[in-house]
Amino acid sequence: MTQHGVVVVPEDTVVGVAVGRHFSFPPPRTGDSCKMLAGHIDLSATMIGSWLDSMKASSPRHKLVAPRVAAAGDDVEHHDDWMEKHPSALDEFETLAAAASGKQIVMFLDYDGTLSPIVEDPDSAIMTDEMRDAVRAVAEQFPTAIVSGRGRDKVFNFVRLAELYYAGSHGMDIQGPTAYSNHHHTPNKEEEDQTRSVLCQPASEFLPMIGEVHDLLVPKMASIPGAMVENNKFCLSVHFRCVDEKKWGALADQVRSVLRDYPRLRLTQGRKVLEIRPAIKWDKGRALEFLLGALGFSDRDDVFPIYIGDDRTDEDAFKVLRNRGQGAGILVTRFPKETLASFSLREPAEVKDFLRKLVMYKS
């Protein structure tokens, strides 16, 4: 039976691995899977339509408010229709729990807007101690990864949990845990060394190019008040959250003018940010596939991946889950918008509540 995009199997019919505290964590597997997944250079990756219109569309202003306080008429109908298609993961927790019954949950979490609020200064996106405790508790129960557009080192410094997987630069820089969670078996030295060696960097050859573009963009963005260039190692982020909307078009033109000399880089966007990435077939969805393979779950039907994210870049991971017919994507948003996620949460505080509820369910 299918409910809200996930397959629900009656509990007494599921035969799977042991879950929770009794799960014996397999040592991650390395090899050529990273390069195989990356595929060939994709030089045709472009945005469709007006950049300015697309930038505005990625930054909606209408909140996804509750029906009792929503505007009358079409707004209420739009809200109700969207929530019917993407119900709250908290309200529908039992549906998720039934779908995951007897299966090994693997948790994937975006950072900005998911574990921390979106803030004007990207360097101030600090997660609360309560959220860190919730993520730590999840990692004690399930293999857990942070998948972020941030540089891997930067997001690690925000989260500060050594037992997690970290996939930075939209999954182009993946490192395994350097500490074992409570639910892991006691590792020997060979397994510890193998865990630390789990690394996927499909865009290493682009590092000099990324550095060149960064150095070109910084002085150009200095002329636009509020613009900021963030170096995430394998990609660059041009933040325009603090830029007057009248300047957005000029900002996009400046960025595109630099990239004309770098056809092997592509320009995409998220929430009030332009992303410059190597034009390879790699994204958060590919990172999810790589990590499932590294954990030994590629060809197993007794695994239930859960991916929680808030941005357009997370849609690639939601798409992978839908194509696999496994797990559930959860979009964090206050705005009705197109998504491949099956469920929704309104804000990081609800993400924290969902993580705590999941831990209590499996305890």
Side-chain angles (χ1 to χ4, degrees):
M1 167 171 71
T2 300
Q3 295 184 19
H4 304 303
V6 294
V7 179
V8 181
V9 182
E11 185 172 356
D12 60 354
T13 66
V14 175
V15 178
V17 297
V19 296
R21 298 185 186 280
H22 304 292
F23 174 62
S24 180
F25 195 81
R29 300 179 301 174
T30 57
D32 296 328
S33 57
C34 178
K35 293 180 180 179
M36 291 172 61
L37 276 171
H40 301 290
I41 299 295
D42 179 10
L43 298 178
S44 64
T46 58
M47 295 290 290
I48 300 175
S50 164
W51 268 100
L52 182 57
D53 290 343
S54 188
M55 290 165 75
K56 291 179 179 179
S58 71
S59 308
R61 295 176 178 80
H62 303 293
K63 290 185 177 181
L64 180 62
V65 291
R68 63 179 180 275
V69 295
D74 291 342
D75 288 343
V76 173
E77 184 177 351
H78 186 198
H79 167 273
D80 291 345
D81 182 61
W82 195 90
M83 289 302 298
E84 178 69 23
K85 295 176 181 177
H86 314 286
S88 166
L90 288 172
D91 294 345
E92 296 292 333
F93 184 81
E94 295 304 320
T95 299
L96 270 167
S101 178
K103 299 180 181 180
Q104 175 57 49
I105 292 173
V106 184
M107 181 64 64
F108 297 90
L109 299 163
D110 181 33
Y111 184 75
D112 292 276
T114 299
L115 299 182
S116 74
I118 296 293
V119 294
E120 291 187 353
D121 178 7
D123 291 333
S124 300
I126 306 299
M127 68 190 300
T128 65
D129 290 339
E130 291 81 5
M131 180 68 85
R132 182 173 294 104
D133 289 342
V135 175
R136 181 185 292 112
V138 165
E140 290 176 353
Q141 295 278 359
F142 322 112
T144 302
I146 307 295
V147 186
S148 173
R150 301 269 195 161
R152 175 169 54 84
D153 291 340
K154 183 173 290 188
V155 76
F156 177 83
N157 288 335
F158 279 135
V159 179
R160 302 198 309 274
L161 293 174
E163 58 267 41
L164 308 183
Y165 286 82
Y166 289 88
S169 301
H170 297 286
M172 287 183 282
D173 188 11
I174 302 177
Q175 179 67 57
T178 55
Y180 282 80
S181 298
N182 291 344
H183 73 288
H184 299 163
H185 67 286
T186 302
N188 57 39
K189 185 178 185 304
E190 180 181 356
E191 289 173 337
E192 287 181 340
D193 291 341
Q194 186 179 18
T195 298
R196 291 191 177 96
S197 72
V198 173
L199 188 64
C200 177
Q201 295 181 332
S204 296
E205 65 181 285
F206 289 86
L207 283 176
M209 191 182 301
I210 292 291
E212 289 177 16
V213 172
H214 174 268
D215 293 343
L216 291 171
L217 278 175
V218 168
K220 285 184 176 292
M221 293 300 102
S223 66
I224 301 177
M228 175 183 169
V229 182
E230 183 178 14
N231 191 336
N232 293 313
K233 191 172 181 177
F234 291 97
C235 63
L236 301 173
S237 298
V238 181
H239 298 275
F240 57 92
R241 179 166 298 276
C242 298
V243 175
D244 188 314
E245 188 172 321
K246 296 178 181 178
K247 299 286 187 180
W248 288 7
L251 180 145
D253 288 342
Q254 291 274 36
V255 172
R256 294 173 70 193
S257 70
V258 171
L259 292 184
R260 288 193 186 102
D261 295 327
Y262 295 89
R264 298 181 70 204
L265 298 179
R266 60 174 172 147
L267 186 62
T268 61
Q269 67 182 69
R271 289 172 60 182
K272 294 190 177 179
V273 61
L274 297 180
E275 303 279 3
I276 298 167
R277 303 191 235 172
I280 62 173
K281 295 179 180 178
W282 195 266
D283 50 41
K284 290 183 177 181
R286 295 289 176 118
L288 183 153
E289 290 179 301
F290 170 80
L291 283 166
L292 287 177
L295 289 163
F297 295 137
S298 286
D299 301 319
R300 288 171 52 173
D301 57 8
D302 55 0
V303 60
F304 194 85
I306 298 176
Y307 189 105
I308 307 179
D310 77 307
D311 199 68
R312 180 176 294 186
T313 58
D314 298 306
E315 292 297 325
D316 296 312
F318 298 151
K319 182 178 180 179
V320 166
L321 293 183
R322 283 202 174 249
N323 289 343
R324 290 175 65 95
Q326 288 181 310
I330 302 174
L331 179 68
V332 184
T333 184
R334 286 182 172 271
F335 313 113
K337 55 186 178 182
E338 292 297 321
T339 181
L340 292 173
S342 300
F343 298 90
S344 64
L345 293 167
R346 290 164 54 88
E347 58 191 356
E350 289 196 352
V351 174
K352 178 182 64 180
D353 292 342
F354 176 82
L355 297 180
R356 287 176 170 173
K357 197 166 185 176
L358 192 63
V359 170
M360 290 177 63
Y361 165 73
K362 285 297 183 180
S363 295

